[in-house]
Structures are given as structure tokens and as C-alpha cells.
Amino acid sequence: MSPTISEIKSLNVAIIGAGAAGLVSARELRREGHQVVMFERQAQLGGTWVYNPGVEADPLGSDPSRAIVHSSLYASLRTNLPREAMGFRAYPFVSTGQPHWDSRRFPGHQEVLLYLNDYATEFGLTELVRFETEVVYAGLVEDGKWKVRSRQENGVAVDVDEIFDALVVCNGHYTEPRTAEIPGIDAWPGKQMHCHNYRIPEPYRDLVVILIGSGPSALDISIDIAQVAKEVHVASRSDEAEVLRKQFGYHHIQLHPMIESIQKDGTVIFYDGSMVLAGVILHCTGYNYHLPFLDTHGIVTVDDNCVGPLYKHIFPPVLAPRLSFVGLPWMVLPFPVFEFQSKWIAGVLSDRIRLPSQEEMMENVSAFYLSLEASGMPKRHTHKMGAHLFEYNGWLAAECGVPVTEEWRKKMLYATLQNYLAHPGTYRDAWEDDDLVLEALMEMATVATLD
């Protein structure tokens, strides 16, 4: 039985991060009647969508004492999803036609940041953000509450301790680089870096560059660098790298299997026996989940990039519902997933939506882990959603009691994938499915009215 209005709780909730996940969490929590504070380490909202031309002093991002640059955006980055598919349900991401906006179906990162700022303005969220305020500690105290220690960097660092009823972690996962392990790399005489610190191609002019990886960043950056580099070589364990063979106009991008070893003279040997004398190795190998501020007395851990144990990638059963995470799943349509997750969290915190018992949640988590193991999925892919995305969204929508009209998103995602496989270098500008756009606009108008 659902609680009455008088029984619904109103809690004081801390949100770590004012990117897309933090903003939609703040909106949903406030709609549910909770009091919200967002802590944001940067001077503006937007999280990973805030472009910073500066890079870290440590190009690999492996020094824990380094000054961290939050953004991983490169200057040429465009979305790899159509704007309509990636937008929030309650606030469609459509082109306004204004001169300063990017009207392309796959816009640049500047457009996404404008969209997030407009979203925050529309729902009065900016007033909830404490800018240039980093959470350096968040720990469990008595009665399930959380002590949050924040530090303001405005000339003189000042630490402030506050107690909150609940904590929602929305700090993103595109800041702490993962790098490939390569025999002989310690003797490498050339330059190494992670794509976290890639911005523009000019520094690679006339160089021989090896990129490791075959994901969207590797594809984009290989094309970017190929405009100026002498040679570009892409090394990957994945068959997905085969899409690079279909690129047009970049004939000096060559594909290889993974690197077997590296010689002291700078020669890179691949597993097929081919060799390249290169000057730069660029790791496009993903990121680690990083929660250095969070103290749960060992209840929540990060093990081989699996944050757990978490029920439905959100609630640690022992600490539910006062601790939750938004935005851990990857290979998703991020903004709609954040929206469903935060709706569920907000309703659970008010007792309008009931969670299973702690024991039932732990059993569910254990069964999920066993299913991943049985399927051969490595632990580091625990939060990879992929083909299960719409099933996950549908489950969350049912828990929240909201209609889910995602069929057009499925079609749009499938059309994008087909274009990508056929034209990986130009798929963003090869969109011809205008009927899908019309269907999307009609559905978005309906959902935005109902939400």
C-alpha cells in the first residue's frame, strides 16, 4: 500500500556533482518534496560537458597527487547520439534555431552544455548548486545520516562539515584514466598519454602515432589526428576496430591487433608480428570509477571497476536508501537513464516507493553477479548495459509508476548504429531518417506533458 501525503518523508539530501546526473537528480528530489544541495567542484554546472583546453601535468593521469582536470572533452567532439535520443524525457533536446546554437542532429559539446544550462534554468536548479566546492569526505554517521565535508577553493581553502539525511553520488566516471598494460612500456622512449588529456591534433603533426582502443573516442581521435600526423596506427583487442577499415579519406590509418611488446628503440611489436617505429602512444582505454571521498566502512567498494554491491546499479542494500548512485551504467542513453534512476531514488526516499528487504536485494545482487560470471562477462563490465538498456529503463519506469514510450528511441539508436557501421567516419552527417525524428518529436511532446 502506498503512503498517504502526510506520511511522505521530506529529507535533506546532498548531491555530489552538478553534471547531467546531478541536475536531474536535484529536479526529481525536489519534485518529491526533498531539500537539496548540490556540491560542484567546478565554477559552472555541466560536469563532463564543460570543455577545458588545459590538460594535466601527468599525461597518463596516473599520479594520484596530480592537479586533476575534470573534463575529458576534445575540441572536435560531437555527440555520437542524435540529440532527440539523448535528451531528458521531461525536457526534449531539440534545436531552437537560435544563431548561437548548433543545429546539427549530432551537435558539438558546446550545444550539450547550453542544453544543460537551459534545463537548469527551466527548473530553477542553479540556485541549489554550491560552485567551486569539492566534497573531500562523505561518511556514515548515526541514524543512517551522512557527514559531508566540503572544501571551497576561493583563495583560502575552508572545510565545512554538514549532516544530511541522504547522499546521492553523481560524480561521473570520465576523470580517472585506465591505461593498457604493455610489456616493455617502462623502457618506452617516446611519449605516452591518455585520451583524457587529448584536446587538439596539432601537437601530433608529422608524428607516427599509435592509438590503443576501438571505442568512440579512439575512432574520433584517430580521424582527428590523421589530418596532421605522418601515420596513425590503431591497436585493439576488439573486432569492433574493423569499422575503421571503412573510413573514407584517411588511408594512412592502419589497423593492428593488440601490442605484444615494446623495444627500447621505440619499436612497437603487435601480436601479428608487424612492427612500427612510433613516437606517441595514446591510450583510448576508458576510465575507472573513483570515489576517494566516500567512507562506507568497507560496505561499498570498487573492485576491478565494479562498484558494489549495488541493487540495480543504484542502492547498496545495507545502506539503502540513504546512499545511492546515479550514472554508473555505461553503453546507454545517459540522460534518460539518469532521469529514471533519480525518479526511483526520489520516490524511495520519500517512502512513496518501497524497496525489497535488505536480504532480497542482496540475493538479487548475488544472482546478477553469478549471471555475469556464467556468461563470461569480465567484472570490469559489471555496469555495461548495452542490449539490456531498454529492459532496465522499463523496470525503473514500472517501479516509478510512469509510462515508458521508448520505442522511438530504440529505432533511433538502431538507425544510428547502422549508419555508424556503414559510414564510421561520416555517420553523424549521413542521417536520412527524418520520419524517426518526426515520431520522436510527437512522442516527446506527449511525455513532457505527462511527466
Side-chain angles (χ1 to χ4, degrees):
M1 180 181 295
S2 297
T4 65
I5 295 297
S6 61
E7 294 172 323
I8 291 178
K9 294 179 182 178
S10 177
L11 302 180
N12 189 20
V13 184
I15 298 175
I16 301 178
L23 291 171
V24 72
S25 295
R27 179 185 182 241
E28 296 298 338
L29 286 162
R30 194 164 66 169
R31 290 180 75 206
E32 196 72 27
H34 302 296
Q35 305 301 309
V36 177
V37 174
M38 274 186 284
F39 295 91
E40 173 53 54
R41 64 193 295 179
Q42 300 187 96
Q44 60 177 305
L45 60 80
T48 194
W49 293 101
V50 176
Y51 177 73
N52 184 343
V55 296
E56 297 175 359
D58 174 13
L60 281 177
S62 56
D63 181 359
S65 64
R66 73 192 189 281
I68 294 175
V69 174
H70 186 73
S71 177
S72 296
L73 295 178
Y74 36 96
S76 64
L77 185 143
R78 291 173 63 186
T79 65
N80 60 1
L81 295 167
R83 64 169 67 240
E84 294 83 3
M86 72 178 291
F88 294 120
R89 287 160 44 91
Y91 192 74
F93 188 9
V94 295
S95 175
T96 65
Q98 297 180 38
H100 64 286
W101 281 62
D102 182 346
S103 62
R104 293 175 296 180
R105 177 124 290 111
F106 296 77
H109 57 81
Q110 303 92 333
E111 173 89 342
V112 182
L113 184 60
L114 285 170
Y115 167 72
L116 291 176
N117 275 277
D118 278 1
Y119 177 85
T121 299
E122 175 72 17
F123 298 115
L125 304 176
T126 307
E127 65 195 46
L128 306 178
V129 185
R130 295 183 189 171
F131 293 106
E132 296 183 283
T133 305
E134 179 181 4
V135 172
V136 295
Y137 176 83
L140 189 65
V141 293
E142 66 280 353
D143 301 324
K145 296 179 184 292
W146 290 85
K147 180 169 76 172
V148 174
R149 178 172 298 148
S150 60
R151 180 173 299 160
Q152 294 182 324
E153 298 288 353
N154 51 0
V156 179
V158 178
D159 288 358
V160 177
D161 287 350
E162 297 169 273
I163 302 298
F164 291 88
D165 297 314
L167 180 68
V168 183
V169 179
C170 305
N171 70 321
H173 48 89
Y174 294 106
T175 296
E176 201 66 21
R178 288 172 66 91
T179 54
E181 296 182 5
I182 306 169
I185 193 66
D186 291 341
W188 168 251
K191 180 180 180 180
Q192 274 193 93
M193 67 177 294
H194 190 276
C195 64
H196 170 62
N197 288 304
Y198 175 80
R199 297 294 182 268
I200 58 176
E202 188 57 37
Y204 306 91
R205 180 170 295 279
D206 299 326
L207 298 178
V208 177
V209 182
I210 296 176
L211 290 89
I212 304 175
S214 61
S217 294
L219 174 63
D220 284 352
I221 294 172
S222 66
I223 294 174
D224 217 16
I225 290 178
Q227 300 174 70
V228 299
K230 181 179 180 182
E231 297 175 16
V232 175
H233 300 263
V234 178
S236 175
R237 294 187 178 92
S238 172
D239 291 338
E240 293 175 3
E242 291 301 312
V243 299
L244 291 169
R245 295 191 188 281
K246 299 179 181 179
Q247 290 185 90
F248 301 132
Y250 300 101
H251 302 295
H252 55 303
I253 296 179
Q254 300 180 45
L255 297 181
H256 303 268
M258 192 52 188
I259 297 171
E260 180 181 35
S261 63
I262 292 178
Q263 306 300 307
K264 292 181 179 180
D265 66 353
T267 300
V268 176
I269 303 175
F270 301 93
Y271 271 103
D272 63 356
S274 60
M275 296 182 291
V276 173
L277 183 63
V280 180
I281 292 178
L282 182 55
H283 296 252
C284 300
T285 44
Y287 296 84
N288 290 312
Y289 297 99
H290 193 51
L291 306 165
F293 54 84
L294 188 62
D295 181 7
T296 63
H297 307 299
I299 294 173
V300 177
T301 62
V302 183
D303 179 18
D304 193 16
N305 236 22
C306 167
V307 182
L310 295 182
Y311 178 59
K312 303 299 182 181
H313 306 278
I314 296 174
F315 290 112
V318 176
L319 300 175
R322 299 301 183 93
L323 174 64
S324 56
F325 297 81
V326 175
L328 294 182
W330 51 280
M331 199 171 282
V332 296
L333 298 171
F335 294 4
V337 170
F338 302 164
E339 199 166 18
F340 282 124
Q341 290 181 321
S342 56
K343 280 182 185 292
W344 190 39
I345 292 167
V348 168
L349 284 175
S350 68
D351 275 351
R352 185 177 58 80
I353 302 172
R354 305 293 191 185
L355 285 177
S357 68
Q358 179 181 315
E359 292 73 20
E360 290 173 313
M361 287 190 284
M362 284 302 300
E363 288 175 3
N364 181 279
V365 173
S366 297
F368 173 60
Y369 288 169
L370 286 173
S371 70
L372 293 180
E373 185 178 349
S375 68
M377 185 75 73
K379 181 178 286 188
R380 68 181 183 276
H381 288 174
T382 296
H383 303 294
K384 179 182 178 180
M385 198 63 63
H388 302 288
L389 167 62
F390 292 102
E391 177 186 352
Y392 180 69
N393 283 356
W395 187 92
L396 288 172
E399 288 293 298
C400 297
V402 299
V404 55
T405 53
E406 297 286 274
E407 195 59 37
W408 66 270
R409 289 189 200 265
K410 293 181 187 178
K411 294 177 184 177
M412 195 168 274
L413 192 59
Y414 179 77
T416 300
L417 177 61
Q418 295 308 304
N419 281 342
Y420 169 75
L421 292 174
H423 313 287
T426 58
Y427 73 98
R428 293 179 177 90
D429 297 309
W431 185 269
E432 297 178 352
D433 298 290
D434 290 338
D435 57 327
L436 273 182
V437 175
L438 180 60
E439 182 179 346
L441 293 174
M442 294 175 64
E443 289 285 353
M444 284 190 292
T446 302
V447 171
T449 301
L450 293 173
D451 190 79

